[in-house]
Amino acid sequence: MAKPLAGIRVLDFTNAVAGPTATSILGDFGADVIKIEGPDTRHLNPPGAAPPKPGAPDEPWNRVIHFNDLNRGKRGVVLDLRRAEGRALFLELAKVSDAVVENFSPRVMANLGLGYPDLCRVRPDIILVSMPAFGKSGPYKDRISYGPGIDAMSGLSHLTGYEDGPPSKPGNFYCDQNAAQLAALSLLAAVRHRRRTGEGQYVECAMIEGELQIVAEALLDVQMNGRVQTRTGNRHPWQAPHGVYRCEGNRDEGIGNSGDEQRGGAGRGVLGRPQQAVSDDEWIAIGVETDAQFAALCHEMGRSELAADVRFADALSRHANQDALDAIITEWTSHENKHALQRRLQAAGVPAGAVLNVRELLEDEHVLARDAFQDVTYPDLMRPFPHTRVAFKLRGRHASRIDMPAPRFGGANRPVLGGLLGLSQEMLDALHTSGITAEAPVAAQGAGV
Amino acid sequence: MPGALEGIRVVELAGGRSVAYCTKLLAGLGAAVVKVEPPAGDDCRRSGPFPGDVPNPEASGLFLHLNTGKHGVTLNIEQAAGRALLLELLAETDVLVEGFRPGVLDSLGLGYEALSERLPALVLVSITPFGQDGPYAHYAGGELIAHALSGYMSITGDPQREPLKPYSTQIEFQAGLQGALGAGVALAAREQDGHGDWVDVSAMEAATFLLGGPAQIAALTDEVRVRNGTRLIGLPPRYFYPSTLRPCRDGYVHAHTNIRHPDLMAALMEQPRLAEPDLLEAPAAHADEIDALMDEWLAWHDREEAVRLAQELRVPFTEVFRPDDVLADPHHAARGAFVELDHPVAGTLRQPGPAVRLSATPWRVTRAPLLGEHNAEVWGRWRTPAELARLRALGAI
C-alpha cells in the first residue's frame, strides 16, 4: 500500500530543530524529502557523534546524533548556495518539488535570490513554508533566536518552574516541536488546497505565534482579572495531592548527570563525559482527581483514617492543606520502589506514574508495546538508532515506518542531481570538482548559510 | 477567501482540552467544525480564568480560546435518541474527534469498527492519555501521569530538586496538535484510496516527541542526561555556552551565544575573559564562570537594553516575558497576533490569532459558541421543531 504522503516532494532547506523535525514528520509518512546542506554545515569533528562500528569510515559527521535523529528518511544533497551554480540547481530542484521548507532568519532566502517570488518564477504553484522565529514583519523580524529563547518570549518560561524558583525551561525547548507540527500540518493543508484549486501559496509559521496558543489561559487572566500568573511547580489549580514524591533510591544504575558535568567537570566519556552515579533521582507522580481516588490512596498507604480527616476530606480542604498532605505521602513513598508503587496504585485506581529517565523510557513496557521509538540500522553505528515517532498511529494503515536512516553527507548528490534533474556524469563530476557539491564537509570559516 | 481545509467537515465529541485544541486548529485552517457537547457542557467550561474570578460556563477563558471558529450543539449520546441524531450528523462528516477512555465509544456502539462499517471514509481521531492499547492504556490519570512516564519531567527542572512539569497542560495541547496532524495525514491517505482510518493519539507519546535528543544519546552512548536547571542539557564540555536563563536588573533574559561567533559575547559584555582560548575551547565546561561574568554585566542592564545590545551584535538574547508583557508587546500589535473578539457574556477580549499564516487561505478565528447555540441550525436539518422540542424535554439536547 502506498504511504499516505507518497508522491509529495519536499525540498528541505532547514537547520537546527524545528525545520528538520517538520520535514521528518512528512518523510515518515512517505513524502520524498530532499535535504539541502551547505558544504560546511556539518561540523568536521562534531562533539555529539555516536561511537562508530569497527571498520566504519572515519566520518564523524555522518554519526552526529542530533542531525541523524531529525533527518531520518530524507535524501541528502550538498549545494554551495553562495555560488550561482548552486542556487540555479536549488531552483531546478524547486521546480520539481511540491513544497520548499526553510527556517532561516527572514533575510537569508531573499538575499540568496531564493525568496517566494523567485521560487514562483520557476514553479508558479510552489508552496513555500517559512518558519521564522518571530515572523517576516514587525519589530523583531530580524532578531535571531533558538527555541529556548522563543519559549522565553512567549511567557512559557516565566510560567514554568518551582514556586520559589526562577523562570525555567520546559525540557530543552518546547516551541521547536510545536512549530514543527504546525508547519507540517499547514503544508498538508496547503497541498490539499492546491489539489483542489491549482493554487500554491506562502505559509508563514512564526514560531512565537504557534506558542501563544498554549499560554492563552495566562494571557486571558491578565485581561479578565489583572492577574499576572506565575510559577506553581507541579501543583494543580484545584486538585490535591498533585505532584512528584521521592521514592526509594536505586544506587546501582550509574546515571550520567549532565548537570554536574556542565558545572565544570572534565569530560572523558564517549561524548567527552564520564558516567556518574546519581543516587536518589527516583520519583513517583501522583495526581488525585476525586475523593474516591484519595480514599484508595489512603488505603494503600495504610492510613485509611486520612480520608475522613477534616484537613483532607474534600478537594478544597486537600488543596488548602497540601503541604501537610505532601509530607505524609513522601514519608510513605520514600521507602517504596517507584515502579512497584506505580503498578500497585494504578491497580487501586489511583493516578500514579513513575518519573522515568530517558533510559528507563526506552525500556518501558508500554513504550515498547506502542513502538514509540523505531530502531533504524545505520551502517556506521554500533547500535540501532531509536528514532522518536509521532504520537499518533494510523491503525488501519500502519503507515509511519521510517524506511531510511538519515542521509550521509552528500549521499544523494548523484541520485538526485543525476536521477531527478538528469545531469550527466560529466556535469556531476564537474560540480564535485568545483566544490558546488561535496561528499565530505569542508572546513570553512563562518561564512555563508 | 476560502480556508485550506474548506469543505472538510469535522465533529468534536467534547470532553476536555486535547480534543478541543485539535479541532480549533482544524477550524483555523478552514474546516467546518461542529462541537458536540453533553447537555452539561464541555469540562473546559468549568476551567478558569473567569472574568472577576466568578465561575461562569459561558465565560471560561480556556473555553473561549480552545473553541474559536466552531459551531456548538448539545447532545446526550448516552441516550439512544441522541446517538441516532449523532449518526445523522456523522453521515455528513469527514473527521470525528473524540477523547473518551479506550472502549467507551465501543460501549456506545460508536467504536471504530461499527462506524467504519457504516461510514468507510470516516477518519476517527481518538486522543487518550496513553493510547488505545499497551499495558498502560487503561491507566488512571492524565496530564501529570503522562508527563512523568514520558521522560519529559526528568529533563525539566533543577537537578538538585524534584522533576517538574511545564505550565498548565502542555501535553494535552500537544496531543491535540498531534491529533490535528494525524487527521491531516489520514485525509491525505484518503485522497489516494477513499478509505478513512483510525488515528490513535497518545498524550504520553506527544510528550516523548518533545524530548529532543536525550533518549537517542542514552541509547547510543549509555549517557543518561537529566534536567539541568535553566541550562540547555546534553551539551558536552566542548559545546557552546551560554544557553540559559539569567537574572538582569529588572527581570530575566534568555542568554544564548552566537554559535558561529562565540567571541561576540566578550565584545558584548566588554569581558576579554569570555574570548580567551581555553574558555572558547570548552565553553560548556566553563558554564559557572561564564554565568558569573554575564551576571556582572546583566546586573547593570535592564531586560530590554540587554536584549537590544546583544541582538545588535547578532548575539541571540531574548527577554523572559511575563504574560502581561506578551500582551503589551509591540511586535504582536504590529503583526496582529491577537484578535479582538466580542463575546455576548465575556465581553471583548484579545485572543491569540493565527497559529500559522497561509497567504491564499487565511487562518480563521471567530468567537467560541455558547452552549447549544447552533442546536436549531444543525439539528434542524434532520429534526422538525416539534421533534427537537421533544428531544429537549428528554434531556437529549
Short mmCIF file of all heavy atoms in Angstrom, two decimals, chain A residues 120-145:
data_model
loop_
_atom_site.label_atom_id
_atom_site.label_comp_id
_atom_site.label_asym_id
_atom_site.label_seq_id
_atom_site.Cartn_x
_atom_site.Cartn_y
_atom_site.Cartn_z
N CYS A 120 8.43 31.18 -7.20
CA CYS A 120 7.22 31.21 -8.04
C CYS A 120 7.59 31.34 -9.52
O CYS A 120 6.86 30.86 -10.38
CB CYS A 120 6.31 32.37 -7.64
SG CYS A 120 5.39 32.04 -6.14
N ARG A 121 8.69 32.04 -9.80
CA ARG A 121 9.07 32.18 -11.20
C ARG A 121 9.40 30.82 -11.83
O ARG A 121 9.11 30.61 -13.00
CB ARG A 121 10.28 33.13 -11.32
CG ARG A 121 9.86 34.58 -11.56
CD ARG A 121 11.01 35.43 -12.05
NE ARG A 121 12.01 35.64 -11.00
CZ ARG A 121 11.86 36.54 -10.02
NH1 ARG A 121 10.80 37.31 -9.96
NH2 ARG A 121 12.80 36.67 -9.11
N VAL A 122 10.01 29.91 -11.06
CA VAL A 122 10.33 28.60 -11.65
C VAL A 122 9.17 27.62 -11.47
O VAL A 122 9.03 26.67 -12.24
CB VAL A 122 11.62 27.99 -11.06
CG1 VAL A 122 12.80 28.90 -11.35
CG2 VAL A 122 11.50 27.70 -9.57
N ARG A 123 8.35 27.84 -10.46
CA ARG A 123 7.21 26.93 -10.25
C ARG A 123 6.07 27.75 -9.67
O ARG A 123 5.98 27.97 -8.45
CB ARG A 123 7.60 25.79 -9.32
CG ARG A 123 6.39 24.96 -8.95
CD ARG A 123 6.65 23.49 -8.87
NE ARG A 123 5.36 22.82 -8.71
CZ ARG A 123 5.19 21.52 -8.66
NH1 ARG A 123 6.24 20.73 -8.75
NH2 ARG A 123 4.00 21.00 -8.52
N PRO A 124 5.15 28.22 -10.52
CA PRO A 124 4.12 29.17 -10.06
C PRO A 124 3.24 28.63 -8.94
O PRO A 124 2.71 29.41 -8.15
CB PRO A 124 3.30 29.42 -11.33
CG PRO A 124 4.21 29.08 -12.47
CD PRO A 124 5.11 27.99 -11.98
N ASP A 125 3.06 27.30 -8.86
CA ASP A 125 2.18 26.79 -7.81
C ASP A 125 2.97 26.22 -6.62
O ASP A 125 2.47 25.38 -5.87
CB ASP A 125 1.22 25.73 -8.38
CG ASP A 125 1.95 24.49 -8.85
OD1 ASP A 125 3.21 24.52 -8.93
OD2 ASP A 125 1.28 23.48 -9.14
N ILE A 126 4.20 26.71 -6.44
CA ILE A 126 5.02 26.20 -5.32
C ILE A 126 4.37 26.58 -3.98
O ILE A 126 3.68 27.60 -3.87
CB ILE A 126 6.46 26.77 -5.40
CG1 ILE A 126 7.42 25.99 -4.49
CG2 ILE A 126 6.49 28.25 -5.01
CD1 ILE A 126 7.90 24.70 -5.06
N ILE A 127 4.59 25.74 -3.00
CA ILE A 127 4.22 26.08 -1.62
C ILE A 127 5.52 26.33 -0.87
O ILE A 127 6.39 25.44 -0.83
CB ILE A 127 3.44 24.92 -0.96
CG1 ILE A 127 2.09 24.73 -1.67
CG2 ILE A 127 3.23 25.19 0.53
CD1 ILE A 127 1.45 23.38 -1.40
N LEU A 128 5.68 27.52 -0.33
CA LEU A 128 6.86 27.80 0.49
C LEU A 128 6.43 27.91 1.95
O LEU A 128 5.55 28.71 2.28
CB LEU A 128 7.55 29.10 0.06
CG LEU A 128 8.69 29.57 0.98
CD1 LEU A 128 9.83 28.56 1.05
CD2 LEU A 128 9.22 30.94 0.54
N VAL A 129 7.01 27.08 2.80
CA VAL A 129 6.75 27.16 4.23
C VAL A 129 7.98 27.75 4.89
O VAL A 129 9.06 27.14 4.86
CB VAL A 129 6.44 25.77 4.83
CG1 VAL A 129 6.20 25.89 6.34
CG2 VAL A 129 5.22 25.14 4.15
N SER A 130 7.83 28.94 5.46
CA SER A 130 8.92 29.58 6.20
C SER A 130 8.63 29.47 7.69
O SER A 130 7.49 29.63 8.11
CB SER A 130 9.03 31.05 5.82
OG SER A 130 9.50 31.19 4.51
N MET A 131 9.66 29.21 8.45
CA MET A 131 9.48 29.05 9.90
C MET A 131 10.39 30.03 10.66
O MET A 131 11.27 29.62 11.41
CB MET A 131 9.79 27.61 10.30
CG MET A 131 8.94 26.58 9.58
SD MET A 131 9.44 24.88 9.94
CE MET A 131 9.00 24.77 11.68
N PRO A 132 10.15 31.34 10.49
CA PRO A 132 10.97 32.30 11.23
C PRO A 132 10.63 32.27 12.71
O PRO A 132 9.51 31.88 13.09
CB PRO A 132 10.57 33.64 10.60
CG PRO A 132 9.16 33.42 10.13
CD PRO A 132 9.07 31.98 9.73
N ALA A 133 11.55 32.71 13.53
CA ALA A 133 11.29 32.73 14.97
C ALA A 133 10.12 33.66 15.29
O ALA A 133 9.22 33.29 16.06
CB ALA A 133 12.54 33.17 15.72
N PHE A 134 10.14 34.87 14.70
CA PHE A 134 9.16 35.89 15.10
C PHE A 134 8.29 36.37 13.96
O PHE A 134 7.42 37.21 14.16
CB PHE A 134 9.90 37.08 15.73
CG PHE A 134 10.79 36.67 16.86
CD1 PHE A 134 12.17 36.70 16.73
CD2 PHE A 134 10.25 36.19 18.05
CE1 PHE A 134 13.00 36.29 17.76
CE2 PHE A 134 11.06 35.78 19.08
CZ PHE A 134 12.45 35.82 18.94
N GLY A 135 8.54 35.88 12.75
CA GLY A 135 7.75 36.32 11.61
C GLY A 135 8.57 37.20 10.68
O GLY A 135 9.66 37.65 11.02
N LYS A 136 7.99 37.44 9.49
CA LYS A 136 8.72 38.19 8.47
C LYS A 136 8.40 39.68 8.53
O LYS A 136 8.80 40.44 7.66
CB LYS A 136 8.35 37.66 7.08
CG LYS A 136 8.67 36.18 6.91
CD LYS A 136 9.92 35.95 6.10
CE LYS A 136 10.30 34.48 6.08
NZ LYS A 136 11.54 34.20 5.39
N SER A 137 7.62 40.09 9.51
CA SER A 137 7.33 41.52 9.67
C SER A 137 7.35 41.83 11.16
O SER A 137 7.50 40.94 12.00
CB SER A 137 5.94 41.83 9.10
OG SER A 137 4.94 41.15 9.84
N GLY A 138 7.22 43.13 11.47
CA GLY A 138 7.18 43.52 12.88
C GLY A 138 8.57 43.84 13.40
O GLY A 138 9.58 43.51 12.78
N PRO A 139 8.62 44.51 14.57
CA PRO A 139 9.90 44.99 15.12
C PRO A 139 10.95 43.90 15.33
O PRO A 139 12.13 44.18 15.31
CB PRO A 139 9.49 45.61 16.46
CG PRO A 139 8.03 45.86 16.39
CD PRO A 139 7.46 44.94 15.36
N TYR A 140 10.54 42.66 15.56
CA TYR A 140 11.53 41.61 15.86
C TYR A 140 11.88 40.76 14.64
O TYR A 140 12.50 39.72 14.78
CB TYR A 140 11.01 40.67 16.95
CG TYR A 140 10.59 41.32 18.23
CD1 TYR A 140 9.63 40.72 19.05
CD2 TYR A 140 11.16 42.53 18.67
CE1 TYR A 140 9.23 41.30 20.23
CE2 TYR A 140 10.75 43.12 19.85
CZ TYR A 140 9.78 42.50 20.62
OH TYR A 140 9.38 43.07 21.79
N LYS A 141 11.47 41.19 13.45
CA LYS A 141 11.63 40.28 12.32
C LYS A 141 13.08 39.89 12.08
O LYS A 141 13.36 38.78 11.65
CB LYS A 141 11.01 40.87 11.05
CG LYS A 141 11.72 42.08 10.47
CD LYS A 141 11.00 42.55 9.21
CE LYS A 141 11.36 43.96 8.82
NZ LYS A 141 12.76 44.17 8.47
N ASP A 142 14.02 40.80 12.39
CA ASP A 142 15.42 40.48 12.14
C ASP A 142 16.16 39.96 13.36
O ASP A 142 17.36 39.72 13.32
CB ASP A 142 16.15 41.70 11.57
CG ASP A 142 15.63 42.05 10.18
OD1 ASP A 142 15.38 41.10 9.40
OD2 ASP A 142 15.45 43.24 9.88
N ARG A 143 15.44 39.79 14.44
CA ARG A 143 16.08 39.18 15.60
C ARG A 143 16.44 37.73 15.30
O ARG A 143 15.75 37.07 14.53
CB ARG A 143 15.09 39.16 16.78
CG ARG A 143 15.05 40.41 17.58
CD ARG A 143 14.27 40.11 18.85
NE ARG A 143 14.22 41.29 19.70
CZ ARG A 143 13.82 41.25 20.96
NH1 ARG A 143 13.41 40.11 21.49
NH2 ARG A 143 13.80 42.34 21.69
N ILE A 144 17.48 37.24 15.96
CA ILE A 144 17.76 35.82 15.87
C ILE A 144 17.50 35.16 17.21
O ILE A 144 17.67 35.77 18.27
CB ILE A 144 19.21 35.54 15.39
CG1 ILE A 144 20.23 36.30 16.23
CG2 ILE A 144 19.34 35.90 13.93
CD1 ILE A 144 21.67 35.95 15.87
N SER A 145 17.04 33.93 17.16
CA SER A 145 16.81 33.19 18.40
C SER A 145 16.69 31.71 18.11
O SER A 145 16.27 31.33 17.02
CB SER A 145 15.52 33.67 19.09
OG SER A 145 15.31 32.93 20.29
#
